[in-house]
Amino acid sequence: DTEVTQTPKHLVMGMTNKKSLKCEQHMGHRAMYWYKQKAKKPPELMFVYSYEKLSINESVPSRFSPECPNSSLLNLHLHALQPEDSALYLCASKLTGLSYEQYFGPGTRLTVT
Amino acid sequence: GQQVMQIPQYQHVQEGEDFTTYCNSSTTLSNIQWYKQRPGGHPVFLIQLVKSGEVKKQKRLTFQFGEAKKNSSLHITATQTTDVGTYFCAGPLEKGGSEKLVFGKGTKLTVNP
């Protein structure tokens, strides 16, 4: 199984809502990522988990809260978002170490109204 | 900080023409990775180069890693409409224990049939 799954595919939420994005992989990867991607831009790193511990937080606003409940799951909790947070949110995973590629999920297309 | 620069930003070709995108890092890389993102899709890993001067081929795609391990290129021979997408190069952040990939801004390829 070489797949990273993400749910939901699309999400529309108001600025006062609370929602969560989910990501799952069963490849035994112990590094998991959240990226934000705006149109015509490269993926922008938000968070990295390594062995279920948060290892990188790229100064992301606290309205985004990541969680790694176990080695296969990664969540991104969203609260009080702004319209400028509308983007494609990508999850990725890889084996730990410098020499391994990332496997990306299909993403969640988020619209904040 | 470590930067990865990629040119050109956009390239439009006629089907059958060749295409090349170039990637330059501000620091020496242990490896460089290439990803392709189709319109509406997510980044998909293409290849990883590790050795100085390495050249790898995948059908009509040729990937090169420079002797100094600071630059790389992707060349597509005789483009087809299936080659349409954005090509990203990425290198690992060369800081101990980091699982971060530094992405170039990407080259968007469009192919006129």
Side-chain angles (χ1 to χ4, degrees):
Chain A
D1 183 3
T2 58
E3 192 180 24
V4 176
T5 59
Q6 287 187 247
T7 55
K9 284 191 174 179
H10 302 274
L11 179 62
V12 179
M13 60 186 289
M15 290 189 284
T16 58
N17 290 160
K18 282 186 181 181
K19 295 285 185 184
S20 297
L21 309 184
K22 295 186 184 302
C23 172
E24 190 167 7
Q25 57 88 16
H26 294 287
M27 295 179 277
H29 292 172
R30 302 305 291 274
M32 296 186 75
Y33 302 74
W34 281 115
Y35 288 91
K36 173 183 177 180
Q37 188 177 32
K38 292 278 213 180
K40 302 181 182 180
K41 298 289 186 184
E44 179 187 344
L45 183 65
M46 299 175 73
F47 303 102
V48 182
Y49 274 83
S50 181
Y51 294 96
E52 295 89 68
K53 289 189 181 352
L54 184 65
S55 61
I56 298 177
N57 176 342
E58 295 284 272
S59 303
V60 178
S62 60
R63 56 186 185 267
F64 295 92
S65 174
E67 179 195 19
C68 189
N70 60 54
S71 59
S72 300
L73 291 173
L74 188 65
N75 298 321
L76 186 63
H77 303 297
L78 314 173
H79 174 55
L81 294 192
Q82 304 296 309
E84 60 264 29
D85 297 321
S86 297
L88 179 67
Y89 287 84
L90 293 161
C91 174
S93 71
K94 66 184 279 292
L95 291 167
T96 53
L98 291 178
S99 303
Y100 298 101
E101 68 273 23
Q102 293 191 7
Y103 290 78
F104 284 83
T108 293
R109 178 73 59 188
L110 174 68
T111 303
V112 182
T113 60
Chain B
Q2 184 176 334
Q3 292 186 352
V4 174
M5 292 141 291
Q6 197 174 345
I7 57 168
Q9 193 173 354
Y10 301 96
Q11 185 77 58
H12 179 76
V13 299
Q14 289 292 127
E15 191 171 18
E17 291 182 340
D18 292 356
F19 158 77
T20 305
T21 173
Y22 300 91
C23 188
N24 281 287
S25 170
S26 58
T27 60
T28 301
L29 298 170
S30 58
N31 68 77
I32 193 153
Q33 300 171 18
W34 287 90
Y35 293 79
K36 177 183 178 181
Q37 186 170 18
R38 294 180 187 273
H42 58 279
V44 174
F45 173 76
L46 292 177
I47 208 159
Q48 177 178 258
L49 304 169
V50 178
K51 298 177 185 174
S52 169
E54 189 169 16
V55 177
K56 285 189 175 180
K57 294 194 176 192
Q58 288 180 350
K59 299 183 180 178
R60 295 176 293 103
L61 278 61
T62 302
F63 302 84
Q64 293 190 329
F65 201 9
E67 294 291 340
K69 301 182 74 173
K70 294 180 74 173
N71 57 72
S72 181
S73 65
L74 157 59
H75 179 83
I76 302 178
T77 303
T79 54
Q80 299 176 358
T81 54
T82 52
D83 296 323
V84 162
T86 301
Y87 293 85
F88 294 101
C89 61
L93 183 67
E94 304 289 344
K95 192 165 80 170
S98 172
E99 296 289 345
K100 180 176 177 177
L101 261 189
V102 180
F103 280 85
K105 291 190 187 303
T107 296
K108 182 176 181 179
L109 173 65
T110 53
V111 178
N112 202 27

